[in-house]
Structure formats: C-alpha cells, structure tokens
Amino acid sequence: MTHFAKTIQKFKDEGKGLMSLNQYLYSAITVKILAPCNFLIFGLGEDSPLWEDFNKGGRTVFLEDDKEWIKQFEDRGLEIYDVTYSTKIEDHEKIGFDPEKLKMDLPDTISETKWDLVLVDAPLGHSPPRPYKGPGRMQSIYTAYNLLEDGGICIVDDMKREVETKYALHYFGAVNLIMTVEDKVAIFKKEETHGE
C-alpha cells in the first residue's frame, strides 16, 4: 500500500472525513497525478491538511464562507481565503446559468491564477428530501469552471444531489466526465475548446 493510501486509511479509521475510503483514494490519486500543481478547494474540513500534503511542492488554496470554521484552521499553516456566496440553494431554478448571478468576488491572487485542479466540496447546499439550507454550489461550480485551466481537472462532491449534477453537467459536459466514484464524487476534465 502506498504512503498516501495508508494515510487515507488511517484518517478514515479515526472516523474522519465525509467521503468514503474509495472516494478519497480516487480523489487523492487525481491529486498525486497532477502534483505539484495549482490546486483550489472550495471548503475547509478535517481532510484539508491531507490535500495540502498530497500536493507537496504545489500551491493548495482553500475558499471558505464559514468564519467560525476558518478560525479552527488558522494555526494549521494553510492558505485560506474568506469568501461570500450571494445565492440561496432554493433559488437555483431562478438563478439558472446567469453569469451575473453566479459571479463571485474573489481576491486577485485567486482570480488571476490558472488552476490545474479544483475540488468543489462547498458551500453548504442541502436540498429535498432535506429542507433547503445554504447557498448551494451553483457559484462554486461556475467559478471552478471559469478558473480552471483548459485541460484541467475538477472534482465535484455530492453528485447525487440535483444542483451539483445540473451545474457540473452544464459547465463541464457529460462527455468530459472521466469517472464517478460510488455515484457521489465526479471527476471532470475541462475541454480545451468547450465554450459556454
């Protein structure tokens, strides 16, 4: 077993992380193939130090909208930016694919970087059968697509949900879906000539 597979196994044995062992393994393999690279992650979690470790020598950046959550990670030496989402998940049909409604205000150091790899694992986006809660991932998927280098890779978590499926397939296209792990984690390649 490789070092990173052992690291993930230990992490899961400790009851950490919201992805399954296989979902972490395939995501980590993707990171390891591209590392060292520019790796942008929407969301902070117990797994954040793992992503940075797997991208050793590259730049790993986290975007998080929960200020209390950010405070818990301030002393971990991670590059974290506090972001704001302007959407509500229950409005996803009204928002559609309108760029004006999906644009995010990001620091120049984020918007001016071409990212090789993006992981969309935030923000909160509960939807039926659960009560609607959170901004939803409409903006993060749109932003991931626009910030990603042509030929870059995007990993989208929670693809069983309507919004993640709808937006990921709209921007990246089903033809560019490399694989889905346990119907939950999708790995897309950004087509080099794919327009809006």
Side-chain angles (χ1 to χ4, degrees):
M1 196 185 275
T2 62
H3 162 69
F4 81 88
K6 283 181 190 164
T7 302
I8 294 168
Q9 184 69 65
K10 181 174 182 290
F11 178 75
K12 288 306 294 175
D13 287 348
E14 290 168 358
K16 294 178 180 175
L18 298 176
M19 288 186 194
S20 72
L21 179 65
N22 274 343
Q23 290 160 17
Y24 274 117
L25 282 171
Y26 281 102
S27 300
I29 288 166
T30 305
V31 178
K32 295 296 276 183
I33 288 168
L34 295 172
C37 67
N38 287 330
F39 182 16
L40 182 65
I41 300 166
F42 287 85
L44 271 173
E46 292 176 315
D47 51 18
S48 296
L50 289 184
W51 299 129
E52 183 171 63
D53 181 47
F54 297 153
N55 188 33
K56 209 175 281 301
R59 181 183 178 206
T60 306
V61 175
F62 301 88
L63 304 181
E64 178 57 56
D65 64 322
D66 186 326
K67 289 174 177 47
E68 289 305 309
W69 198 233
I70 290 171
K71 277 182 195 167
Q72 293 184 41
F73 289 85
E74 280 177 340
D75 61 349
R76 307 262 190 112
L78 302 173
E79 187 178 351
I80 301 166
Y81 293 89
D82 183 357
V83 295
T84 303
Y85 296 96
S86 58
T87 57
K88 289 183 178 173
I89 188 158
E90 58 264 36
D91 297 333
H92 71 92
E93 288 185 2
K94 281 189 277 183
I95 291 164
F97 306 109
D98 182 346
E100 289 306 311
K101 292 177 180 167
L102 294 172
K103 261 187 208 149
M104 289 183 73
D105 185 19
L106 295 172
D108 290 347
T109 184
I110 303 298
S111 57
E112 291 173 5
T113 299
K114 274 297 182 185
W115 300 92
D116 306 296
L117 176 61
V118 181
L119 169 59
V120 177
D121 199 15
L124 185 67
H126 294 164
S127 56
R130 300 172 82 167
Y132 279 122
K133 189 176 181 186
R137 296 184 185 166
M138 300 84 77
Q139 283 182 294
S140 50
I141 292 170
Y142 168 81
T143 304
Y145 177 78
N146 284 293
L147 292 179
L148 197 60
E149 190 79 84
D150 283 356
I153 301 293
C154 185
I155 302 170
V156 182
D157 192 16
D158 295 308
M159 281 290 285
K160 284 183 178 176
R161 303 192 305 202
E162 180 188 1
V163 164
E164 281 79 354
T165 301
K166 172 177 155 182
Y167 281 81
L169 291 178
H170 176 81
Y171 288 107
F172 290 98
V175 70
N176 297 308
L177 178 62
I178 297 168
M179 71 178 302
T180 307
V181 187
E182 297 167 347
D183 293 328
K184 184 173 179 282
V185 173
I187 302 172
F188 290 93
K189 180 174 184 178
K190 182 176 177 180
E191 199 172 286
E192 312 219 0
T193 55
H194 182 65
E196 286 259 327

